[in-house]
Amino acid sequence: MRIESDLKLDFSDVLIRPKRSSLTSRKDVNLLRTFTFKHSRKVWHGIPIMAANMDTTGTFEMAKAFSKSRMLVALHKHYSEAEIVEFYERHDEEFLSHVFYSLGLVESDYKKLRAVKKAVGEKLWAICIDVANGYTEVFSSYVQKIRKEFPDLTIMAGNVVTGEMVEALVLAGADIVKVGIGPGSVCTTRKMTGVGYPQLSAIIECADAAHGLGALICSDGGLQVPGDVPKAFGGGADFVMSGSFFAAHDESGGDLLERDGKFYKLYYGMSSDTAMNKHSGGVADYRASEGKTVLVPYRGPVSDTIKEILGGLRSACTYAGAARLKDLSKCTTFIRVYRQLNNFYTGSEVKN
Ligand code: 5GP
């Protein structure tokens, strides 16, 4: 047994220190980024915020709404082959440049990827290979196999939280490594297994490893307030993924539920009982559910939430003196805090 006693931080442990800047208005901040991916050599241009590949958020409808803001959606993997093919065939190249196709490690996912790729060709340009635990050898070999078979695909793979595993996945063929174990709002991994890593430190350490090899990272999960988005980018994340921010909107999956005259949608982990009952015929005997199900008040169209997040990010850039999102990380100085929010009126807000 070993104990690491270096300090590891979460978003709520820090604030971004304001700095003098020559920016006159948050309107002048440029949130667009252009990346050339290490292996695929594809060029991507847009705002690097992504909706999670959960069946509640990674929907076709979300992709349509997000592409208007040049943001990304990782589609969930439970659409049928026919639905996915139809989706890719109906849209133009600019729209599809904001869409990632997702798959896991099971044979049927691999077969579906091959079939969809064969049917739609170049239109499928980016994939997200997603497993809860990206530390297994089988996973690295799988990434390697897919990279070999599809040299032109942009591959995002994860999840991991430490530099050495980021390096292993980049060397196996990942262009982007997805970072986060246990920070999610509907994730119970830390509770059920005791395993995890504070998300801001995971970002800082994994970004350093990936950037050293010319690759990128996507911070996945754990954002609780819009101010966590600039903290993730400030820590070095190239992309930021969220599920909870985009749950319970018109574009989110699931039906609107009514309880005592108020409207809600369900949001649940992809390893929760709800998801496993829906997609896998129940929780297998050898495993425990590692996700929970929550009822989230209905929030209307996602465009309002997008405006709020991008507004917060622009404002953070002006406070930190970054004219471009690209500069935010080098302009960021974090200060450690023991208390970040004043919660005096929490629960009493009036919605206009
Ligand atoms: P959130 O934005 O809600 O904080 O986190 C979303 C992320 O949580 C997803 O992108 C995914 O990485 C992770 N996640 C989704 N479902 C589950 C689950 O059932 N268990 C665990 N451990 N993580 C989950």
Side-chain angles (χ1 to χ4, degrees):
M1 194 278 291
R2 268 186 64 209
I3 298 183
E4 270 185 33
S5 45
D6 304 355
L7 181 71
K8 302 293 174 194
L9 299 166
D10 227 315
F11 298 124
S12 57
D13 297 319
V14 300
L15 287 167
I16 298 170
R17 189 181 185 276
K19 288 192 182 141
R20 279 178 74 175
S21 103
S22 55
L23 285 165
T24 45
S25 157
R26 64 192 71 177
K27 244 191 4 260
D28 301 335
V29 173
N30 182 0
L31 298 182
L32 293 166
R33 300 255 8 220
T34 302
F35 293 119
T36 303
F37 300 109
K38 177 185 170 81
H39 295 286
S40 73
R41 306 312 300 165
K42 293 263 169 21
V43 178
W44 178 81
H45 186 63
I47 298 179
I49 297 178
M50 197 179 297
N53 52 320
M54 301 166 73
D55 64 0
T56 41
T57 57
T59 62
F60 293 153
E61 295 74 21
M62 198 67 79
K64 282 172 207 154
F66 266 46
S67 74
K68 290 186 193 133
S69 307
R70 302 170 98 170
M71 286 162 50
L72 295 143
V73 169
L75 296 173
H76 71 75
K77 69 172 200 172
H78 298 290
Y79 285 119
S80 71
E81 185 184 318
E83 286 170 319
I84 286 275
V85 168
E86 197 201 336
F87 173 81
Y88 272 93
E89 280 181 339
R90 261 192 292 138
H91 299 296
D92 63 88
E93 206 176 302
E94 162 58 24
F95 171 79
L96 291 172
S97 76
H98 301 291
V99 178
F100 274 62
Y101 172 97
S102 301
L103 72 158
L105 204 51
V106 294
E107 186 61 21
S108 55
D109 286 348
Y110 175 64
K111 284 194 177 141
K112 190 163 93 184
L113 168 69
R114 294 185 74 178
V116 175
K117 184 79 178 112
K118 194 164 171 215
V120 306
E122 279 289 299
K123 287 186 167 185
L124 199 175
W125 70 280
I127 62 170
C128 165
I129 315 177
D130 191 28
V131 293
N133 173 6
Y135 281 78
T136 63
E137 263 175 48
V138 135
F139 183 62
S140 300
S141 314
Y142 188 62
V143 172
Q144 209 165 16
K145 173 170 114 170
I146 293 181
R147 166 57 64 214
K148 210 164 159 203
E149 186 170 345
F150 303 105
D152 303 335
L153 267 187
T154 300
I155 299 179
M156 174 159 73
N159 281 19
V160 299
V161 283
T162 50
E164 88 287 354
M165 206 58 216
V166 168
E167 286 164 6
L169 290 175
V170 171
L171 296 176
D175 297 287
I176 310 165
V177 176
K178 198 147 69 71
V179 172
I181 292 192
S185 61
V186 284
C187 158
T188 55
T189 295
R190 291 178 183 175
K191 182 172 157 195
M192 295 303 292
T193 69
V195 175
Y197 213 91
Q199 186 67 4
L200 182 65
S201 284
I203 293 171
I204 294 169
E205 294 168 30
C206 291
D208 190 50
H211 296 166
L213 291 173
L216 304 168
I217 66 155
C218 175
S219 167
D220 176 16
L223 305 171
Q224 295 188 42
V225 288
D228 292 341
V229 175
K231 288 179 187 177
F233 284 121
D238 304 290
F239 294 88
V240 169
M241 174 182 269
S242 176
S244 53
F245 276 7
F246 308 122
H249 291 87
D250 291 333
E251 297 82 354
S252 315
D255 298 327
L256 214 49
L257 307 170
E258 193 185 341
R259 298 269 194 286
D260 303 325
K262 292 193 175 130
F263 291 97
Y264 301 85
K265 276 194 176 187
L266 286 184
Y267 178 54
Y268 45 86
M270 294 312 290
S271 315
S272 63
D273 289 1
T274 308
M276 285 196 272
N277 287 334
K278 193 166 169 193
H279 301 296
S280 319
V283 183
D285 285 345
Y286 62 89
R287 63 183 291 177
S289 139
E290 284 183 26
K292 58 185 168 193
T293 302
V294 294
L295 205 53
V296 184
Y298 166 65
R299 296 160 72 192
V302 77
S303 53
D304 292 346
T305 299
I306 290 177
K307 242 186 257 162
E308 206 174 277
I309 293 169
L310 299 187
L313 183 55
R314 274 196 196 93
S315 182
C317 288
T318 56
Y319 274 114
R324 304 173 300 175
L325 179 60
K326 184 171 195 254
D327 302 326
L328 183 57
S329 177
K330 62 172 194 268
C331 293
T332 294
T333 302
F334 287 122
I335 47 170
R336 280 183 61 203
V337 295
Y338 294 99
R339 181 171 177 271
Q340 65 156 345
L341 303 176
N342 179 343
N343 291 319
F344 190 69
Y345 283 120
T346 301
S348 319
E349 293 95 337
V350 179
K351 283 259 177 224
N352 293 315

